[in-house]
Amino acid sequence: MRWVAHLSDLHFGAEDERIAESLLEDLADFHPSVVVISGDLTQRARKKQFEAAGAFIRRIPVPCLAVPGNHDIPLYDVLRRVLAPLSRYRRYITTDLNPVFQDDELIILGANTARAAAFKNGRISTAQIKVLAEKLRAADGRLFKVLVTHHPFLPPLDAPSAALVGRGALAVEAFEPCGVDLLLAGHYHRGYMGDLQSHYVAVKRSILVAQAGTATSKRTRGERNAYDRIIIDPPDISFDRYGWNDRRFAKTMTTRYTKVNGAWQLHPRNIHETG
Ligand SMILES: [Fe+2]
Ligand SMILES: [Fe+2]
């Protein structure tokens, strides 16, 4: 069994400091095997914002795997945007833009999908697809395989034409035979999940997608700040969403799946919303 905390869209520079502090307390309490941060660590990729994001990550008491988001590339500093778009991310967060976490039950691969030329959208390169597919294929088949990007592979249910990660279909085609189990992303500041097969009809493998809302940004776009606690215990997996209730993070929803005959099946009676 492995516990993972999935945070996204921290947006330091537009963060709520009280929520960020409370989140650190939560993470210390939960003490997951790893914390995944799926991009947009800063609001405008400024030095001070990266310093704050880096300081936040250093206070997380467990391993942390992060990928950049579109907000981690400067928007108005055109020279930096073109010549060194992720230089501050590399300096203050990590030089590793395609990080890997692995233990004896779990492998998590991160992929940078932020691109200066794509502005708020993002994409995955053919070179990344090739390397990621090789890593997924080479990983022990008993490991639970997770891929983390900032830009999503699955749109929100009520916005089926929302922009997705560029070359996503190509990537899915390459990753499907490599046994990937779960895709984690953010970007829309909305928490939702589903099976990749609901969008990519040609996909034969049942692959779960879990999108996290924004953990700490003041720009919440209609949803409260939230993060997910994921409990991986094959063939079961559960997602506990913790939402901010103006005082603390509290569990607001649990979604459970079991893999039966190769397909993720939702436990409808185990979904509940509270608070
Ligand atoms: Fe964001
Ligand atoms: Fe984003």
Side-chain angles (χ1 to χ4, degrees), residues 72-225:
D72 299 319
I73 292 177
L75 185 60
Y76 304 116
D77 182 348
V78 178
L79 257 193
R80 186 179 287 275
R81 178 174 183 82
V82 172
L83 297 177
L86 284 167
S87 56
R88 285 183 180 142
Y89 182 91
R90 289 175 198 269
R91 178 166 175 201
Y92 292 102
I93 306 300
T94 173
T95 53
D96 190 354
L97 297 180
N98 296 288
V100 180
F101 171 86
Q102 184 174 349
D103 64 16
D104 52 1
E105 292 188 29
L106 189 63
I107 181 164
I108 306 178
L109 304 176
N112 166 33
T113 56
R115 300 288 186 273
F119 292 92
K120 70 177 180 185
N121 293 328
R123 60 178 173 260
I124 192 161
S125 70
T126 49
Q128 281 176 302
I129 294 172
K130 189 163 175 276
V131 169
L132 288 164
E134 275 165 14
K135 284 182 183 167
L136 287 166
R137 201 177 305 116
D140 190 318
R142 287 166 295 187
L143 296 176
F144 190 88
K145 299 178 183 180
V146 184
L147 177 68
V148 182
T149 55
H150 176 62
H151 295 88
F153 282 85
L154 189 72
L157 261 180
D158 60 359
S161 51
L164 299 176
V165 61
R167 295 196 190 91
L170 203 67
V172 164
E173 199 181 305
F175 301 157
E176 180 193 348
C178 306
V180 67
D181 295 293
L182 173 65
L183 307 179
L184 300 177
H187 184 56
Y188 282 126
H189 296 202
R190 295 185 60 186
Y192 57 93
M193 56 188 67
D195 195 309
L196 202 63
Q197 287 178 317
S198 65
H199 191 74
Y200 297 89
V201 286
V203 169
K204 291 177 197 73
R205 184 181 173 83
S206 182
I207 300 167
L208 279 181
V209 175
Q211 291 285 137
T214 169
T216 52
S217 173
K218 289 176 184 163
R219 295 164 69 220
T220 51
R221 298 186 195 148
E223 279 188 19
R224 66 175 89 187
N225 290 100

Side-chain angles (χ1 to χ4, degrees), residues 15-30:
E15 88 284 13
D16 183 317
E17 283 176 29
R18 197 161 66 104
I19 296 179
E21 280 303 312
S22 185
L23 181 55
L24 284 171
E25 285 169 23
D26 259 44
L27 294 175
D29 252 20
F30 179 40

